[in-house]
Amino acid sequence: MNLPRIEINQQFARVGLERNPGQLKIETPPSELKIHQEHVSVELSRSDDSLSIDSRKAWSALGRARFEEVTDRIAQQSLQISMQNIANLAQEGDRMMASHQKSNAFAEIARERMFRQFRIDIAGEPNYDNVEVTYMPGQLQTNVKPGGVNFEFERTKPSIDYYPGKINPYLIQQNFIFFNATGQQLDAVM
């Protein structure tokens, strides 16, 4: 028996996509760095050395002292001689009053006075370090002004450009459903 049949044929649609990718463009111009250097400054100043030689004591020991020094020595030694003479006169007076002694005090005193000498030394005392040497070194002064480095930095911003991509869909194959009846036609009413 040949029964009627229905045939269904179906075909799916096929879609194609055409794609253009997006673009990202980034440009960064170079930044600027400026460097300024200040030089170091050094100033030196120096005072002179001083050398002082004092040979007055050496000349005084040789008997060639300055006039003021010689007159001071004579005055001091004269005062000492005067004081010694006063002491001697007091002693001689005591001796003259001692008449109970059997010696002749007046003749002895006269003889002593005849040979008595008073010496005044105008020369100074000799010594191994009569010359005084004084040395004062000079002073060194340093003035330093430190230098430095200055930085100036200018940063540039990057430029960013974005171009979006595109997607274009298209139909490659259209879909369809096809019905087909095959066999004998059956007209029946129930």
Side-chain angles (χ1 to χ4, degrees), residues 4-73:
R5 286 188 311 193
I6 297 175
E7 289 182 5
I8 301 173
N9 289 328
Q10 173 183 346
Q11 180 173 321
F12 294 104
R14 288 179 54 201
V15 177
L17 296 176
E18 183 180 329
R19 182 177 155 261
N20 292 330
Q23 290 185 351
L24 180 63
K25 184 178 179 185
I26 300 175
E27 289 183 0
T28 305
S31 300
E32 285 190 33
L33 176 63
K34 294 180 183 176
I35 301 174
H36 302 286
Q37 181 179 4
E38 297 175 11
H39 297 289
V40 176
S41 170
V42 178
E43 294 178 4
L44 301 174
S45 61
R46 184 175 183 272
S47 61
D48 293 333
D49 299 344
S50 74
L51 177 64
S52 171
I53 300 174
D54 186 5
S55 60
R56 288 181 289 184
K57 288 183 183 177
W59 286 110
S60 175
L62 293 172
R64 298 183 178 249
R66 294 179 311 161
F67 176 73
E68 297 87 10
E69 192 176 336
V70 171
T71 55
D72 283 345
R73 275 199 196 122

Side-chain angles (χ1 to χ4, degrees), residues 102-148:
K102 295 196 174 187
S103 62
N104 187 357
F106 292 98
E108 289 175 4
I109 292 172
R111 192 178 316 118
E112 287 173 6
R113 282 191 177 184
M114 182 188 256
F115 296 110
R116 188 181 299 165
Q117 293 182 358
F118 298 104
R119 183 172 179 195
I120 296 178
D121 291 326
I122 59 170
E125 180 181 345
N127 201 346
Y128 71 93
D129 62 346
N130 275 344
V131 177
E132 293 181 12
V133 178
T134 306
Y135 173 72
M136 295 290 291
Q139 298 293 322
L140 179 65
Q141 294 178 351
T142 305
N143 186 11
V144 178
K145 293 179 183 175

Side-chain angles (χ1 to χ4, degrees), residues 69-85:
E69 192 176 336
V70 171
T71 55
D72 283 345
R73 275 199 196 122
I74 291 173
Q76 286 176 1
Q77 290 181 18
S78 296
L79 179 63
Q80 289 175 356
I81 290 171
S82 298
M83 298 305 264
Q84 185 65 39
N85 275 337

